[in-house]
Amino acid sequence: QYVTEIDRLDIHFIHQRSPHPDALPLIMTHGWPGSIAEFQKVIAPLTDPTAHGGRAEDAFHVVCPSLPGYGFSGKPAATGWGVERIARAWDELMVRLGYPGYGAQGGDWGSAVTTQIGRNVGHCIAIHLNMPMGRPPAGTTEFTAEEQSALAALKHYQDHDSAYAKQQSTRPQTIGYGLVDSPVAQLAWIVEKFWSWTDHDGNVESALTRDEMLDDVMIYWATASGASSARLYWESYRSIDFSPVEVPSAISVFPREIFRTSRRWAEGRFSDLRHFNELDEGGHFAAFERPAEFVDEVRAGFRSMR
């Protein structure tokens, strides 16, 4: 683990190099209420596939940064650290680490950042997303069963599951006082989302263990990141960019994801879609919940894009 300064802000990151010299550099970005803890079970299989049932040609050099305002990264003291600026910072980080060409992966806010990295004229050669932001083309009146299910899930989110986003995108500082003052408040604010967004049978502990959830919560609590992490919603939640993406792309759709997209919707935005797969199990925190399936998808996704 390391800390470097980019654009006058400390950025914390994990950097795990592969023993395979031809490995593809890969930057993986978490979201909210996630953290680098989400990736703890997938870094070893991605960096050393031959030790975990994989092939040497699927190896990655893995970089996992903490978003600005999250965990052990610095807390921005002024506005401006939105998705676009983070994407530029991540590109600078990868070049600084000696990777002039690399892949990018992400879900949640990490999906938005990764998409922006791919959209920028930078050094990224391909992207993989496990929460792609797609939507039906204007004027669409007929939908497949899968698309109808995705639209129903989106309506449920908007009607019953998005109060946190409204609060954090309009008044992040207000909720922030409670989150940095009370460990119970911080715990509830995050664990409720683990319960709501993971794929389980009614008991969240069938998807993630208590220790795994507490690892993530403690990263927020120990670093007093309740308010600073929420500010990313203030910066970017109301300005998600749905413009086209031309870089080679791979998409994995998990069934309990918050926002799901169909292949048709994805192809309307990602013009060079190399891999699209809908899985049978898993939710929003794919690497955390289903590490084996996640690793398989990342390997398969980048296989045609190296």
Side-chain angles (χ1 to χ4, degrees), residues 128-281:
H128 174 271
L129 307 172
N130 58 282
M131 195 191 80
M133 302 296 288
R135 57 185 179 185
T140 302
T141 57
E142 296 184 3
F143 302 95
T144 66
E146 291 79 8
E147 290 170 346
Q148 290 175 9
S149 175
L151 291 171
L154 177 59
K155 187 176 189 306
H156 173 82
Y157 171 81
Q158 292 171 334
D159 292 346
H160 304 290
D161 207 16
S162 57
Y164 78 99
K166 186 69 171 177
Q167 177 69 40
Q168 294 190 155
S169 62
T170 59
R171 295 293 187 271
Q173 195 71 11
T174 304
I175 189 65
Y177 288 116
L179 297 180
V180 300
D181 181 65
S182 168
V184 173
Q186 183 67 88
L187 180 73
W189 197 243
I190 291 178
V191 171
E192 185 267 320
K193 293 310 175 194
F194 283 144
W195 173 85
S196 182
W197 295 344
T198 56
D199 189 2
H200 58 81
D201 56 5
N203 176 14
V204 65
E205 291 180 51
S206 67
L208 296 170
T209 68
R210 289 191 178 193
D211 279 347
E212 287 170 343
M213 290 185 281
L214 286 170
D215 283 346
D216 184 75
V217 173
M218 281 301 296
I219 289 176
Y220 283 79
W221 173 251
T223 60
S225 296
S228 57
S229 61
R231 293 189 191 121
L232 182 51
Y233 285 78
W234 169 270
E235 296 283 356
S236 295
Y237 187 75
R238 292 163 290 180
S239 57
I240 298 296
D241 189 345
F242 284 92
S243 59
V245 180
E246 297 180 358
V247 71
S249 305
I251 288 174
S252 303
V253 180
F254 289 80
R256 287 295 304 275
E257 183 55 88
I258 306 170
F259 307 121
R260 303 196 303 274
T261 188
S262 68
R263 178 185 287 272
R264 177 172 62 154
W265 297 353
E267 289 174 341
R269 185 182 183 200
F270 299 89
S271 60
D272 191 2
L273 186 62
R274 304 285 186 91
H275 173 88
F276 182 93
N277 189 33
E278 296 174 303
L279 291 95
D280 296 327
E281 297 179 298

